[in-house]
Amino acid sequence: MSETANYQRHILFESDFFEVVDITWTSSGANTTPEALKTHGHGWSECSVLVNEGVFENTTVLGAKTEVQVFEKGQVIHTPKGAKHSLRCLSKAGRTLHVYTPKIKDLAQQPLNFKTDKNNGLSESLKLNEPLRLDHLKILLAEVQKNSISASSPYFMNQLFSGVSPQMMLANELISQTKTTLATQEASPVFSQVESEVIKSLCSQIGWSPKASEGVVVPGGSAANFMAVHCAKQKYFPDMKAKGLQNKIFKVYVSQDAHYSFKKAAAVLGLGTDNVSAIGVDEKGRMKADLLEQAITADKNAGFTPLLISATAGTTVYGAFDPIDQLAAVSKKHDLWLHVDGAWGGPAIFTEKLKHLTQGIELADSVTFDAHKLFGAAMTSAYFLTQHKGILLSANDVSGADYLFHDNDDEIDRGKMSWQCGRGADAFSFWTIWKSLGTAGLGQFVDRLLATRKEVETFIKTEPRLTILGIPEYLNLCVRITPPADKVYAAADWAKIVREQLKTEHKAFVNFSTDKQGTFLRFILSHPELETQHMVQTIKWALEVQ
Amino acid sequence: MSETANYQRHILFESDFFEVVDITWTSSGANTTPEALKTHGHGWSECSVLVNEGVFENTTVLGAKTEVQVFEKGQVIHTPKGAKHSLRCLSKAGRTLHVYTPKIKDLAQQPLNFKTDKNNGLSESLKLNEPLRLDHLKILLAEVQKNSISASSPYFMNQLFSGVSPQMMLANELISQTKTTLATQEASPVFSQVESEVIKSLCSQIGWSPKASEGVVVPGGSAANFMAVHCAKQKYFPDMKAKGLQNKIFKVYVSQDAHYSFKKAAAVLGLGTDNVSAIGVDEKGRMKADLLEQAITADKNAGFTPLLISATAGTTVYGAFDPIDQLAAVSKKHDLWLHVDGAWGGPAIFTEKLKHLTQGIELADSVTFDAHKLFGAAMTSAYFLTQHKGILLSANDVSGADYLFHDNDDEIDRGKMSWQCGRGADAFSFWTIWKSLGTAGLGQFVDRLLATRKEVETFIKTEPRLTILGIPEYLNLCVRITPPADKVYAAADWAKIVREQLKTEHKAFVNFSTDKQGTFLRFILSHPELETQHMVQTIKWALEVQ
């Protein structure tokens, strides 16, 4: 917290867990009002301010959302964990009582709140056998936190997610306190409603009729892709549920840049990894519909059974979107299941600016959507959505669970549609974020990061050692970095070297990938508070690596 | 909080989120020390107490664990969410400053903190579209909580889990704050270590050599059972990973009381639900080894391929344990994969009192273990464990994920062994509980509930309208309740009627099941603070139902 001359802090109570502070505000010099407290976070402390005297304007920044309110004597301003706020005294003088829990610590969140040391010295203390006192456990947990990588910093750009939103924290706390299972309506009445609401709203955003569509929360985007293959099999060969795959050799078609989970699905569901066809892509990284058509025809001629096409909406490296409408035409012609893996790029459906990338998504039989990636829900909050209402029940419901499902509700127990039995309220944190930002706000979330990407592109173009790869359309930015003139021998590995150094110096955490010419940096724009300056700073650090 | 005449509360600061209270302690009458504050919880408030004057003895109850410590002037006593404590002034006088966040509310936790009204009136406010201010969101979240069922009450005996431990709350908060993924070591260095440590310790408790065994966290017990079938296939037919199931018809053997997830697994993995054989059980609900032997021989003669036997350790209704050693002999004879589904009964391995129930578990090829059931970890904290080190990688690793797995670590990235890609630190809350209680403490956790069950059995035997079903060996208690004399026509449905009434009157939440003679009540002993009195009270309420 920055201190200015015209307010005075008096600590009333201080411990590791709590701090109670009295602040007196007085106007200084020419200013008619005392200077404001600058926008500041409290790390993972919650903060409550009681106005004892005067009138204050409070601005809260909740990740992608900003709120301004005026508070008077007797009112309390509350800033949840992970949020930021600023305070301005509107009257000539004021007095506020501040309570923080835990005590504010300078976590140096930007950019240093992750550690990457391999030898953290914790191995011994992590071992399980002897009981540990609560106070010692708390010390150990603090060590765990200090040595863990946190996604809270905007300099965390390594994964397809970043940021820890206060809305998510509030949701997670409530989930912890109730600890119910989503298997049955009776055990989880409200969380079941929440899950239905999120799924209905996602289906509607895709363009599906609420009456014809449905979905289920799954433990990650991979699981949603597994479910797509499973439902496709159910649609075309419903007797296989009881009889097994028997003699069929199914074929699944994805782009060569698609997520590896389709191979896992093929291994697990009994299709075999050899039967996942990786179709070639164009210069933007998009699956070529003509190559797909050729592959299907060839497989049919060879006696195989084409089953499913998956269009990737947002590939992991380049953020490319397969042409869904073109693939839909192919799937229609051959009567195949069309899936859209929108684990990373699904949020494009929320903004007009990117609607062209997901054109035709309403024609898909099913869609994967991950809210723990771009929108910052808890890990994980993933959805399998389909416009074949009823197929989840017919594919997954089995007898033998009368002890659990009592069939006395109007609503179907959601556990019957799932591969899981007991499972947590994974949809809740996304619901809290969506509820807070609103549907339009989710679109603005994407738009703001797109604008940041464009500003960063402009900066990159001024740097001769940097080259943007491909044609960025989404929130991935792949950048080739050439080494300093005296290190040209290391050109192919340079991005990897740069990335390691940024990481070990605790500056920033970005990923790298490799193409024919060698390694390059991959920046992911995902943190709700990511600004151009964070990325420009990271790139400047990258250019300084020797 | 109970107030006595000899201490005085003075509220310094009060809001919905915080309360700061000054308490003065004086000795009264013959007592040389002021009366103690009785053991009390603060609902979901955290509490910090600063000792300003005097010496105090504090007792903290952390679910299954109790800690006593003495505090002097300047020291701070911290009670985490969900825990309980009592305070005793050891000196003639004292002064303490108490900070609570949020403000303590009387949540009437026992037994009323769950609601079951279907029409909670929340449907409209749960809808997603317009943004919502933070203060309104908080009001709505409070409504969600009020209308949700919470597993925190000991009167919640409906599921195979109950209770919300402070250790789990601490773990979950840290997980929320870091939000990393367990896919790679570099993104989750400490949480990956924690996961390895929990798995190693579980394998060792089973009796496996740490060098030969391994495991992976999965999203629930069902997923662990799926993984068992998948690994069995990998062991015996490794080329099916690439080629698919082709023409084989596999058979999987479980008891007729086994969990329904094996049928789901058969549907999903391409075996077909018809190929799950439900073997008959004895009077204790245990799979009969001779019937199993007959079924396998018959299937072999019919040209099928027997693949896996699953022994259930703790069935959902009766808590029965299949004779693992006998099934191990059958599996050895026919060279089949032996799995033990210990989702509910796995904790028996921690106590000598129940070791006979899991005799032979060390012979199993794999084991399912759920820590979110009996031991109260977060939903979900589930483990697939196997003594075939390396099989998870060979069964599940696929190419095409170079963007994520960079192969520069000594340790294998745990994501390669999993069906999930991004996933949370599900092992962490169990680690926190285990660390806090110690290995022996986990055994005592089971023992204490077993002793409670026996006391309750004694009480039940005094009630002519109650009959215990089967021979309880674990933490399930199935009880037939006959209706009052004027309601004998409803005998078969009576347990269901009783259960509904207990639920709608917000007294207790127990489950029912059905056998040939009709419905009966199923009590699950799982809550760490469950006492005989809670169950006796519930049974008395059940007997009062008209």
Side-chain angles (χ1 to χ4, degrees):
Chain A
M1 186 183 288
S2 95
E3 303 230 338
T4 62
N6 51 5
Y7 76 84
Q8 287 190 312
R9 293 180 102 227
H10 174 51
I11 296 172
L12 300 180
F13 173 46
E14 195 180 20
S15 82
D16 271 1
F17 304 112
F18 283 95
E19 193 175 27
V20 184
V21 183
D22 187 73
I23 299 185
T24 309
W25 306 65
T26 48
S27 61
S28 65
N31 291 327
T32 54
T33 60
E35 200 174 303
L37 272 176
K38 281 197 296 189
T39 302
H40 61 287
H42 307 116
W44 296 117
S45 297
E46 273 180 272
C47 151
S48 266
V49 181
L50 167 69
V51 179
N52 272 323
E53 227 185 282
V55 181
F56 290 81
E57 183 190 83
N58 181 68
T59 305
T60 308
V61 180
L62 300 151
K65 189 176 185 175
T66 300
E67 290 187 4
V68 185
Q69 262 181 302
V70 172
F71 291 87
E72 299 192 348
K73 185 175 170 172
Q75 292 188 302
V76 175
I77 301 154
H78 183 68
T79 310
K81 282 173 188 152
K84 293 176 181 173
H85 79 131
S86 64
L87 208 53
R88 202 156 67 89
C89 184
L90 301 178
S91 45
K92 283 217 166 186
R95 233 183 100 223
T96 47
L97 188 66
H98 300 235
V99 187
Y100 309 98
T101 175
K103 181 180 169 180
I104 301 173
K105 284 175 197 157
D106 184 9
L107 290 178
Q109 259 192 250
Q110 301 181 28
L112 284 170
N113 64 339
F114 54 81
K115 284 221 183 172
T116 53
D117 305 327
K118 269 182 208 170
N119 300 315
N120 52 33
L122 282 178
S123 306
E124 275 308 309
S125 38
L126 293 179
K127 284 191 177 157
L128 293 163
N129 189 20
E130 292 305 313
L132 194 67
R133 290 194 64 93
L134 179 65
D135 41 359
H136 296 153
L137 180 64
K138 282 177 161 282
I139 292 166
L140 183 53
L141 289 183
E143 281 301 303
V144 168
Q145 178 159 32
K146 221 165 67 184
N147 287 284
S148 291
I149 287 165
S150 166
S152 59
S153 164
Y155 291 94
F156 180 83
M157 296 180 244
N158 190 61
Q159 244 75 20
L160 297 176
F161 61 86
S162 186
V164 176
S165 75
Q167 290 92 337
M168 182 262 269
M169 298 283 292
L170 288 172
N172 275 5
E173 180 154 24
L174 192 45
I175 289 168
S176 295
Q177 289 175 6
T178 50
K179 196 196 165 180
T180 48
T181 166
L182 265 282
T184 61
Q185 298 277 341
E186 66 166 12
S188 248
V190 189
F191 293 128
S192 295
Q193 270 180 284
V194 162
E195 181 169 318
S196 298
E197 190 58 43
V198 168
I199 285 167
K200 209 171 65 186
S201 303
L202 281 172
C203 288
S204 147
Q205 194 68 25
I206 286 168
W208 291 338
S209 135
K211 284 192 181 166
S213 55
E214 67 177 11
V216 69
V217 171
V218 288
S222 293
N225 292 342
F226 281 39
M227 190 66 89
V229 177
H230 181 58
C231 284
K233 193 183 72 182
Q234 179 66 24
K235 181 185 171 198
Y236 294 105
F237 303 94
D239 65 326
M240 286 189 178
K241 181 182 179 185
K243 300 294 174 197
L245 294 190
Q246 298 149 337
N247 219 354
K248 280 265 182 295
I249 298 184
F250 289 122
K251 291 282 176 183
V252 165
Y253 305 87
V254 299
S255 99
Q256 63 185 41
D257 290 350
H259 194 252
Y260 67 94
S261 52
F262 284 98
K263 279 196 191 164
K264 286 208 175 185
V268 169
L269 305 195
L271 279 64
T273 53
D274 286 356
N275 296 312
V276 178
S277 294
I279 308 296
V281 299
D282 67 13
E283 75 290 349
K284 279 188 170 177
R286 300 178 302 188
M287 195 197 296
K288 286 183 170 172
D290 53 345
L291 295 183
L292 172 67
E293 170 66 39
Q294 286 166 26
I296 293 170
T297 306
D299 282 340
K300 279 186 164 176
N301 292 340
F304 299 126
T305 308
L307 181 68
L308 170 143
I309 301 165
S310 175
T312 305
T315 58
T316 52
V317 178
Y318 296 106
F321 285 68
D322 289 339
I324 301 172
D325 45 2
Q326 292 175 36
L327 305 193
V330 178
S331 86
K332 191 176 177 190
K333 181 179 163 196
H334 293 280
D335 191 19
L336 307 182
W337 186 280
L338 178 67
H339 180 67
V340 173
D341 178 1
W344 167 231
I349 60 175
F350 284 93
T351 168
E352 283 303 321
K353 290 197 169 61
L354 295 181
K355 275 275 167 83
H356 62 286
L357 293 179
T358 57
Q359 207 174 312
I361 193 169
E362 72 285 357
L363 303 171
D365 295 288
S366 58
V367 170
T368 292
F369 189 94
D370 280 4
H372 57 271
K373 291 199 167 83
L374 189 61
F375 290 139
M379 183 72 68
T380 57
S381 183
Y383 304 82
F384 172 77
L385 309 163
T386 174
Q387 59 166 318
H388 298 281
K389 199 181 183 92
I391 201 159
L392 282 167
L393 200 63
S394 61
N396 295 317
D397 190 29
V398 295
S399 62
D402 306 335
Y403 78 95
L404 181 65
F405 303 118
H406 293 314
D407 278 339
N408 47 8
D409 276 296
D410 308 331
E411 286 271 322
I412 294 166
D413 285 326
R414 305 194 60 81
K416 293 185 171 193
M417 302 197 263
S418 169
W419 294 357
Q420 297 174 275
C421 182
R423 65 186 170 90
D426 294 347
F428 193 53
S429 63
F430 182 38
W431 177 84
T432 314
I433 292 164
W434 192 337
K435 194 77 198 170
S436 172
L437 300 181
T439 306
L442 293 180
Q444 288 151 16
F445 189 114
V446 182
D447 291 349
R448 207 186 64 75
L449 290 170
L450 286 173
T452 303
R453 195 203 77 213
K454 280 182 188 152
E455 285 179 19
V456 176
E457 285 186 65
T458 306
F459 167 77
I460 288 174
K461 284 172 186 160
T462 66
E463 289 291 338
R465 282 177 54 209
L466 303 174
T467 318
I468 294 168
L469 301 186
I471 302 149
E473 294 194 296
Y474 192 51
L475 299 169
N476 308 42
L477 199 49
C478 292
V479 180
R480 176 102 54 214
I481 180 165
T482 57
D486 59 331
K487 299 263 173 59
V488 283
Y489 59 92
D493 286 332
W494 195 248
K496 191 178 168 183
I497 293 165
V498 166
R499 184 241 190 193
E500 281 303 307
Q501 191 161 328
L502 293 180
K503 199 175 82 171
T504 50
E505 290 180 357
H506 300 175
K507 284 178 171 162
F509 200 2
V510 299
N511 217 330
F512 77 96
S513 197
T514 311
D515 63 10
K516 285 174 194 162
Q517 289 171 262
T519 61
F520 55 87
L521 296 172
R522 185 197 69 169
F523 296 92
I524 294 293
L525 293 93
S526 174
H527 195 291
E529 290 159 73
L530 182 73
E531 302 285 347
T532 305
Q533 70 192 55
H534 297 120
M535 294 189 68
V536 167
Q537 176 63 68
T538 304
I539 292 167
K540 283 181 177 167
W541 283 326
L543 289 167
E544 284 165 13
V545 172
Q546 284 297 322
Chain B
M1 188 181 288
S2 95
E3 303 230 340
T4 63
N6 52 2
Y7 77 85
Q8 287 191 311
R9 294 181 99 226
H10 173 52
I11 295 171
L12 300 179
F13 174 45
E14 195 181 21
S15 81
D16 271 359
F17 304 112
F18 283 95
E19 192 175 26
V20 184
V21 183
D22 186 71
I23 299 185
T24 309
W25 306 66
T26 48
S27 60
S28 64
N31 291 328
T32 54
T33 58
E35 200 175 302
L37 271 175
K38 281 197 296 188
T39 301
H40 60 287
H42 307 116
W44 297 116
S45 296
E46 271 180 274
C47 150
S48 266
V49 180
L50 166 70
V51 179
N52 271 325
E53 228 185 282
V55 181
F56 289 81
E57 184 191 82
N58 181 67
T59 305
T60 307
V61 181
L62 299 152
K65 189 176 186 176
T66 300
E67 289 187 4
V68 184
Q69 263 182 301
V70 172
F71 292 87
E72 300 192 346
K73 185 176 170 169
Q75 292 187 302
V76 175
I77 301 153
H78 182 69
T79 311
K81 283 173 190 153
K84 293 176 182 173
H85 79 132
S86 64
L87 208 53
R88 201 156 68 88
C89 185
L90 302 177
S91 46
K92 283 218 167 186
R95 234 183 97 222
T96 46
L97 188 65
H98 299 235
V99 187
Y100 308 97
T101 173
K103 182 181 170 181
I104 302 173
K105 284 175 197 158
D106 184 10
L107 290 178
Q109 262 191 249
Q110 300 183 26
L112 285 169
N113 64 338
F114 53 83
K115 285 221 182 172
T116 51
D117 306 327
K118 271 183 205 166
N119 300 315
N120 53 33
L122 282 177
S123 306
E124 275 307 309
S125 38
L126 293 179
K127 284 191 176 158
L128 294 163
N129 189 19
E130 292 305 314
L132 195 67
R133 291 196 64 94
L134 179 65
D135 42 359
H136 295 155
L137 180 65
K138 282 178 160 280
I139 293 166
L140 184 52
L141 289 183
E143 281 300 303
V144 168
Q145 179 160 32
K146 221 165 65 186
N147 287 284
S148 290
I149 287 165
S150 165
S152 60
S153 165
Y155 292 94
F156 180 84
M157 296 179 244
N158 190 62
Q159 244 77 20
L160 297 175
F161 63 86
S162 186
V164 176
S165 75
Q167 291 92 336
M168 181 263 269
M169 297 284 292
L170 288 172
N172 275 6
E173 180 154 24
L174 191 45
I175 289 168
S176 295
Q177 288 174 6
T178 49
K179 197 196 165 182
T180 48
T181 166
L182 265 281
T184 61
Q185 298 276 342
E186 67 165 11
S188 247
V190 189
F191 292 128
S192 295
Q193 271 180 282
V194 163
E195 181 169 319
S196 297
E197 191 56 42
V198 169
I199 285 167
K200 209 170 66 187
S201 304
L202 281 172
C203 288
S204 149
Q205 194 68 26
I206 286 168
W208 291 337
S209 134
K211 284 192 180 162
S213 55
E214 66 175 15
V216 69
V217 171
V218 288
S222 293
N225 291 342
F226 281 39
M227 190 66 89
V229 177
H230 181 57
C231 284
K233 191 184 72 183
Q234 178 67 22
K235 181 186 173 199
Y236 294 105
F237 303 93
D239 65 325
M240 286 188 177
K241 181 182 180 185
K243 300 295 175 196
L245 294 190
Q246 299 150 333
N247 219 354
K248 281 264 181 295
I249 298 184
F250 290 121
K251 291 281 175 183
V252 165
Y253 305 87
V254 299
S255 98
Q256 64 187 37
D257 289 351
H259 195 251
Y260 68 94
S261 51
F262 284 98
K263 278 196 191 163
K264 286 205 176 184
V268 169
L269 306 195
L271 279 66
T273 53
D274 285 356
N275 296 311
V276 179
S277 293
I279 309 295
V281 298
D282 68 13
E283 75 290 350
K284 279 189 170 175
R286 301 178 301 187
M287 195 198 296
K288 286 183 171 172
D290 54 343
L291 294 183
L292 172 68
E293 170 67 40
Q294 287 167 26
I296 292 171
T297 307
D299 283 339
K300 277 185 165 175
N301 292 339
F304 300 124
T305 307
L307 180 69
L308 171 142
I309 301 165
S310 176
T312 306
T315 58
T316 52
V317 177
Y318 296 105
F321 285 67
D322 289 341
I324 301 173
D325 45 2
Q326 292 176 36
L327 305 193
V330 178
S331 86
K332 192 177 177 188
K333 179 178 163 195
H334 294 280
D335 192 19
L336 307 183
W337 185 282
L338 178 67
H339 180 68
V340 173
D341 178 1
W344 168 230
I349 60 176
F350 284 92
T351 169
E352 284 303 323
K353 291 199 169 60
L354 294 181
K355 275 274 166 84
H356 62 284
L357 292 179
T358 57
Q359 207 174 313
I361 192 169
E362 72 283 358
L363 302 171
D365 295 287
S366 58
V367 171
T368 293
F369 189 94
D370 281 3
H372 58 271
K373 291 200 168 82
L374 189 61
F375 290 140
M379 185 69 69
T380 58
S381 183
Y383 304 83
F384 173 78
L385 309 163
T386 173
Q387 59 165 319
H388 298 282
K389 198 180 183 92
I391 201 160
L392 283 166
L393 201 64
S394 62
N396 295 317
D397 190 30
V398 295
S399 63
D402 307 335
Y403 78 95
L404 180 65
F405 303 117
H406 294 313
D407 278 337
N408 46 7
D409 276 296
D410 307 330
E411 286 272 321
I412 294 166
D413 285 327
R414 303 194 61 81
K416 292 184 171 192
M417 302 197 262
S418 169
W419 294 357
Q420 296 176 275
C421 182
R423 65 187 171 90
D426 293 347
F428 193 53
S429 63
F430 182 38
W431 176 85
T432 315
I433 291 163
W434 193 335
K435 193 79 198 167
S436 172
L437 300 183
T439 306
L442 293 180
Q444 288 152 13
F445 189 114
V446 181
D447 291 348
R448 209 187 64 77
L449 290 170
L450 285 173
T452 303
R453 194 205 75 212
K454 280 178 190 157
E455 286 179 18
V456 175
E457 284 186 66
T458 307
F459 168 77
I460 288 174
K461 285 170 186 161
T462 67
E463 289 290 338
R465 281 177 54 207
L466 302 175
T467 318
I468 295 167
L469 301 185
I471 302 150
E473 295 195 294
Y474 192 51
L475 300 169
N476 308 43
L477 198 48
C478 292
V479 180
R480 175 103 54 215
I481 180 167
T482 57
D486 59 330
K487 301 262 171 62
V488 283
Y489 59 92
D493 286 331
W494 195 249
K496 190 178 168 184
I497 292 165
V498 166
R499 182 240 191 192
E500 281 303 308
Q501 190 162 329
L502 292 179
K503 199 175 82 171
T504 49
E505 289 180 357
H506 300 175
K507 284 178 170 161
F509 200 2
V510 298
N511 217 330
F512 77 96
S513 196
T514 311
D515 64 10
K516 283 172 194 164
Q517 290 171 262
T519 61
F520 55 88
L521 295 172
R522 185 197 69 170
F523 296 92
I524 293 294
L525 292 94
S526 174
H527 195 291
E529 291 158 73
L530 182 73
E531 303 285 349
T532 304
Q533 69 190 53
H534 297 120
M535 293 189 70
V536 167
Q537 176 62 70
T538 305
I539 292 167
K540 284 182 177 167
W541 283 327
L543 290 167
E544 284 166 13
V545 171
Q546 284 297 321

